[in-house]
Amino acid sequence: NESDYIQGDTIQAVAEASYFFGGPVSNAAVTWRVLRQPYTFDRWQGEGYYSFTDYDPFEESFGMTAFGELVTEGRGKTNAQGQFTVEIPADISKWVQSQTYTIEMSVVDVNNQETSARSSAVIHKGAFYIGLSPVAYVGTAGERQDVRVITVDTQGMTHTQQTLDVVFYQHEW
């Protein structure tokens, strides 16, 4: 199940283990880990093409697996009701892009039977995304280049009258 969080929120991940015949798997060993990978905003459904990605071509992708790079991991035990809860900071401040966190939990019962589950959460860099759309993709040095700007919330709904600070970077290859 996919959820949304904003940079700085806390994710509460809960594992609940029970036997097939009923009854909680209490005092069972739990291992958990959080993996991350860049999230590209794709929820804009309006007209026109806008780029919402603050892409950094130099951002490290070393150590990526199918579900991303390891962020953190830990161990614990289920309580008497077969539940285990961990709080995970949604801190993506060191990455340029929003991120998808994949949270994996595994529970091992007294018979050494392991059961695992995985869930994903999108961590947004902020409450809004700014989309840019150049009027023309080729320009002449020294001449004006017009760019359309749109502001949307994390679900892709337009939010007008937002005050923005614009910063330009020059990339040379």
Side-chain angles (χ1 to χ4, degrees), residues 17 87 146:
E87 290 190 347
D146 291 330

Side-chain angles (χ1 to χ4, degrees), residues 76-105:
K77 288 200 177 291
T78 58
N79 62 17
Q81 290 76 41
Q83 296 175 334
F84 173 78
T85 303
V86 62
E87 290 190 347
I88 301 159
D91 180 7
I92 59 169
S93 57
K94 64 182 174 181
W95 296 295
V96 172
Q97 276 184 260
S98 297
Q99 301 287 308
T100 298
Y101 272 17
T102 299
I103 303 161
E104 299 176 341
M105 289 194 182

Side-chain angles (χ1 to χ4, degrees), residues 54-118:
D54 192 2
Y55 176 70
D56 182 354
F58 306 107
E59 187 166 274
E60 286 282 327
S61 60
F62 178 76
M64 288 281 186
T65 65
F67 288 98
E69 177 185 37
L70 181 66
V71 175
T72 187
E73 60 187 341
R75 297 178 177 279
K77 288 200 177 291
T78 58
N79 62 17
Q81 290 76 41
Q83 296 175 334
F84 173 78
T85 303
V86 62
E87 290 190 347
I88 301 159
D91 180 7
I92 59 169
S93 57
K94 64 182 174 181
W95 296 295
V96 172
Q97 276 184 260
S98 297
Q99 301 287 308
T100 298
Y101 272 17
T102 299
I103 303 161
E104 299 176 341
M105 289 194 182
S106 297
V107 177
V108 178
D109 69 12
V110 292
N111 299 319
N112 240 10
Q113 297 295 309
E114 181 176 278
T115 303
S116 299
R118 178 181 297 125

Side-chain angles (χ1 to χ4, degrees), residues 8 20 33 45-46 59 65 88 91 123 125 134 149 159 172:
F20 287 117
R33 64 185 187 152
Q45 299 296 315
E59 187 166 274
T65 65
I88 301 159
D91 180 7
I123 317 298
K125 289 291 284 187
V149 180
H159 275 260
E172 292 184 17

